[in-house]
Amino acid sequence: MTTVTDYYSAIQLRSDWWSSLREVTAQLSRDAPAKISPIMRSRAEELFDQLSEIEPYWAFPGMQVFDQMRRQLEHNSFTELAYAVHRCARALTTGAYRTRHIPLDHLDTGEREEHDDEALLSPEVRAMTKPYFEVLIVDEVNDSQERWLKSNVHSMRRPEDAFIYEAVVVPSVEDALIAVLFNHNIQAIVVRPGVTLRSEREHPILGRILEGIADIGQLDDLETQEYGPALCRLIDDVRPELDAYLVTERSVEAIAGTELGVCRRVFYNQEDFLELHLNILRGVQARYKTPFFTALTEYSQQPTGVFHAMPISRGKSITRSHWIQDMGAFYGPNIFLAETSATSGGLDSLLEPHGPIKEAQELAARAFGSKQTFFATNGTSTCNKIVVQALVRPDDIVLVDRDCHKSHHYGMVLAGAQVCYLDSYPLNEYSMYGAVPLREIKKQLLDLKAAGKLDRVRMLLLTNCTFDGIVYNVERVMEECLAIKPDLIFLWDEAWFAFARFNPTYRKRTGMRAANKMRARFKTEEHARAYEVQQKRLASASDADLLDTRLVAPPDARVRVYTTQSTHKTLTSLRQGSMIHVNDSDFKGEVEQAFHEAYMTHTSTSPNYQIIASLDVGRRQVELEGFEFVQRQLEAAMAMRRSISTHPLLSKYFKVLTVGHMIPAEYRESGTEMYYDPDRGWVDMLDAWQNDEFVLDATRVTLAVGGTGWDGDTFKTQILMDRYGIQINKTSRNSVLFMTNIGTTRSSVAYLIEVLVEIAKSLDDLLDDASKMEKLGFDRRVKNLTENYPPLPDFSRFHPAFRASEDTPEGDIRSAYYLAYDESSCDYLDLDGSLYQALEDGREVVSASFIIPYPPGFPILVPGQVVSREILAFMRALDVNEIHGYRADLGLRVFTPEALANLTKAMPARVEKAPEGKSEKPSKQASKSKPAAE
């Protein structure tokens, strides 16, 4: 029998318990009265006991109905019980309770069960159905008072209301937090004066849900009347998208100025249910509204005459055609009715938004916690270039994650930055990189400071999370860097992390959330005192001391944070729909105009309106059901991890890479090795996400496939895709990456497990029938993939021709990039011939191109970089099909010795290295403080 520890999610636990109860009660109803199994009856009682701990947090079926079913069991009314449980379980699975009343009396035949499945309704019918949600009322009341509350709420419904809702009543702050974490249907909370602090319910999963999410202990010293405002603040931290309404008996003066978190309105000692009802609907409507999508749908319904570009507008060039009618039939009419290049008629311009696009971007900023948000219709590659060009000036020094997306490297070329590449820790065994250790970042900043160049350091650019799922401790990285460089700008590439905003654990490691927390914390007296204490301790500290110290940023540090997000990768949006989120203290005064120019430079004057509309709708979705969808995404990923890890046949050929495989021990303060242990079940990952330098995104499941004898690319294309139609993106030399998303279903996971089992069985059969030589060949292939792996090379260095000084590693990638335009300055060297010989002869060979093997998909060489023996060895060992920038027929494109010599002679005199103990004059902001720590 399964236990609580077998479940990662309370949602899935509840679903499975109801399914089990349905099976048990169905068996009881089939048995003759004299043959009722005591075991089955005992199991039914056990399931009712388990469900009774968590059912109070949902409106359907409600505790009154639940208790009635329990009485049916006590009275041996098995037929009635089985029918009620069956209908209830089915309604929970299909979502039918969201659209209509579900009768649970088996004598009521007025409802046809086949209509219970909401998914069977047509999209048009579902679109016309009023959305359903639940309202949480927090008040300690008895049963009759609870019925009175629910009756008053229900009586407020009006035919013209845009939504319908049911009420859930809980007594305490703890119960309220459990409810909003359990129940994804909750969209609003009403906190009444009778709220208490602690829950009377005790269940292992309840405590696990609260642990690490909210610190209830901080409320123990509060007076009773302060519980309501405190609950609003806690919900703001757990589910900030929700609306709260506070009913209080305190005076206006007593509550004025109190921080109320997500509270939208305070009601003073009144029972005006209609006013409360209208405010609840208005709050949900504020999240439901989609300004641009609505404007576009209304435009598509207007009669218009088209006398501008785009013959496809209104579908005219298709409907009149004799040869492309199939396109119209495939897409349907609406997409063409909404296709236009007009910016009037209720629409707007993406380049200069003043109407619905502007409002849609403002709503997105609210949803993602930014100060400003900008839409992009040509992907995050363009977003990255916009941000870099807006912020980085020629010769600014930028610290860049070497294995970041190629758009960042090209952005450095466009901006003319002096690039200081940072090395991530390598995972040689799996031919992938992790992330850049904080110690490496601090060391580079301190070295640049010692060289008198800290004033030229402009930006730190990192990928969070990486393609393989490594997530930074974002707030810690930014604070410690600001302790060294208080005006440093941060660009977090969160292309694969847009969904993280809508999970309370993941949200803590997003750029926008960290920026908001730092802004608030830096203003507190407690932070100022911590900074002063550390400054005294570090008065004579060496750089080595600073590297070993957790630094505290000065209170006047500038919080300047940008994140770029591929909305289309992890949330609902059409392909290339992306966003730029800004939380920059100096954006209005320093950056806004430059950002506008960069945005104009890279944004098309003919943006795709369908993409913009999908971004608008995707924002609506995550504000209203992002919490639910991300939770289900995590469930799917965790189920996949458990199924593969515990299957005896799969473990012969496959291995799910755990936290311990992906993150070295020195970066795991919590000691967490894996999220699922076959002996202990799900291991609490909250401690790791709270404290560790790096954590692993559980929604990404990296599967080592070297034990099959196939490399990652072959397994992806020839096995998964060609044979079974399973699509994946990322591979390494001996692994494949399965990425779950908010659209991943349990059925998809089940199919994947079936496929892996079938592959494993086929390998068993193959080896059973193999000859001795065939088995030897298989073993050699496996050994080559699992033991004989090439070490991943670090960034070597820029050639002196592209460096202004020898004391620090930054280089001029732009000059190298454009020098390669001159064919006379370039040559080609064969890897195994002339290039190898050149290195043997002691010649410095310098790449003239970006060399990007797929996998791993990032540059192992950039223009101006010296080719090291380690890089050559890695390239020679690569067995991938794609190496962008490398021509197999010619070899590696490099600069000629003459071109490098001429460039070196033509360079201006290098900046003289600063004498020891001295430095160039730092920037005004940077000179205000020394580094500091806890």
Side-chain angles (χ1 to χ4, degrees), residues 863-879:
Q865 181 183 348
V866 174
V867 181
S868 65
R869 294 177 184 272
E870 293 77 15
I871 292 173
L872 175 59
F874 181 76
M875 292 186 68
R876 293 173 69 185
L878 282 173
D879 50 4

Side-chain angles (χ1 to χ4, degrees), residues 211-212 438 471-477 480 505 508-509 513 550 659 663-672 675 684-696 934:
E211 186 180 354
L438 177 56
V471 183
Y472 286 86
N473 190 330
V474 173
E475 188 170 349
R476 179 178 175 182
V477 169
E480 293 212 48
T505 302
K508 296 176 181 179
R509 293 198 174 221
R513 195 267 191 183
R550 184 160 183 169
V659 179
I663 303 173
E666 60 263 34
Y667 308 123
R668 290 184 281 111
E669 181 181 326
S670 68
T672 300
Y675 293 146
D684 194 351
M685 65 186 219
L686 296 176
D687 184 31
W689 280 74
Q690 184 71 32
N691 300 305
D692 288 359
E693 180 167 348
F694 300 113
V695 291
L696 180 64
E934 292 177 346

Side-chain angles (χ1 to χ4, degrees), residues 435-456:
V436 182
L438 177 56
R439 188 181 186 89
E440 162 79 3
I441 301 169
K442 290 166 63 176
K443 183 179 184 305
Q444 291 291 356
L445 285 172
L446 291 170
D447 287 348
L448 288 162
K449 181 178 181 180
K453 299 180 180 180
L454 194 61
D455 61 311
R456 291 175 51 204

